[in-house]
Amino acid sequence: MSSPAADVVGLLTVRGQSLAVAESLTGGLVAAEITSVPGASKAFRGSVTAYATELKHTLLGVDAGLLAARGAVDPQVAQQMAAGVRAALGADWGLATTGVAGPEPQDGQPVGTVFVAVCGPGAGSAPGGKVEALRLNGDRAEIRRESVRSVLALLLEQLADEHSGNERAQDTERNGGF
């Protein structure tokens, strides 16, 4: 049985594309999940665990004014983290996780508030990528696990969208269209 991480590694490897990850609340769990897949080195460039808010700015280029105004648990922060790690590590795709795993609220956000983001090259990605807001239940470990699952699912969705767009273009060309 395949896992989401194995599917990600497989798809990226076949396409000759690479991935970088920026993590906050997941603290390296996304990178660990990806690197547990044999052959991950063919697609995985690396990760930045920017747990401290100021590191999101200094290492990933997240706007300092945005962090000061809204805190680290914000959809725009997640998007900028994904774009920043993609650029910093020279990857085709960037993923990001930021949120509140607990036990206490953070930046005015309740426990279970999570934002996951993907930034990539394809037509399936909107400019700047895609961000998904999550409201998760459970304890700290469950929230972190579900965040990992959700960010990998978001990437798989974007990879599928990109692939579907390419197939449509190829079908149009085969049929004499533009």
Side-chain angles (χ1 to χ4, degrees):
M1 183 167 90
S2 188
S3 71
D7 292 344
V8 162
V9 169
L11 284 170
L12 291 174
T13 299
V14 165
R15 295 173 183 200
Q17 294 181 323
S18 60
L19 173 65
V21 177
E23 299 187 64
S24 186
L25 85 149
T26 49
L29 292 175
V30 177
E33 188 74 11
I34 292 165
T35 58
S36 73
V37 176
S41 62
K42 292 175 184 160
F44 188 61
R45 299 268 310 148
S47 65
V48 174
T49 300
Y51 209 65
T53 298
E54 70 270 12
L55 294 180
K56 292 170 181 63
H57 170 68
T58 58
L59 296 177
L60 299 171
V62 175
D63 182 81
L66 174 65
L67 289 166
R70 296 196 193 158
V73 183
D74 181 82
Q76 284 183 284
V77 170
Q79 184 276 321
Q80 289 184 21
M81 287 173 65
V85 79
R86 179 181 177 220
L89 301 187
D92 297 299
W93 294 89
L95 292 182
T97 63
T98 188
V100 186
E104 301 295 324
Q106 178 186 335
D107 297 333
Q109 299 285 353
V111 171
T113 302
V114 176
F115 297 97
V116 295
V118 61
C119 181
S125 294
K130 184 170 182 183
V131 179
E132 189 171 281
L134 307 171
R135 298 290 181 253
L136 304 175
N137 296 312
D139 64 20
R140 182 175 173 78
E142 290 168 321
I143 290 168
R144 294 173 77 215
R145 257 192 320 273
E146 183 59 23
S147 298
V148 171
R149 190 206 63 75
S150 295
V151 78
L152 292 174
L154 184 61
L155 176 57
L156 285 170
E157 175 186 299
Q158 292 300 293
L159 289 168
D161 285 352
E162 181 184 65
H163 184 68
S164 294
N166 288 340
E167 282 179 345
R168 282 193 294 274
Q170 290 170 358
D171 286 345
T172 301
E173 289 170 11
R174 270 189 231 118
N175 293 323
F178 296 97

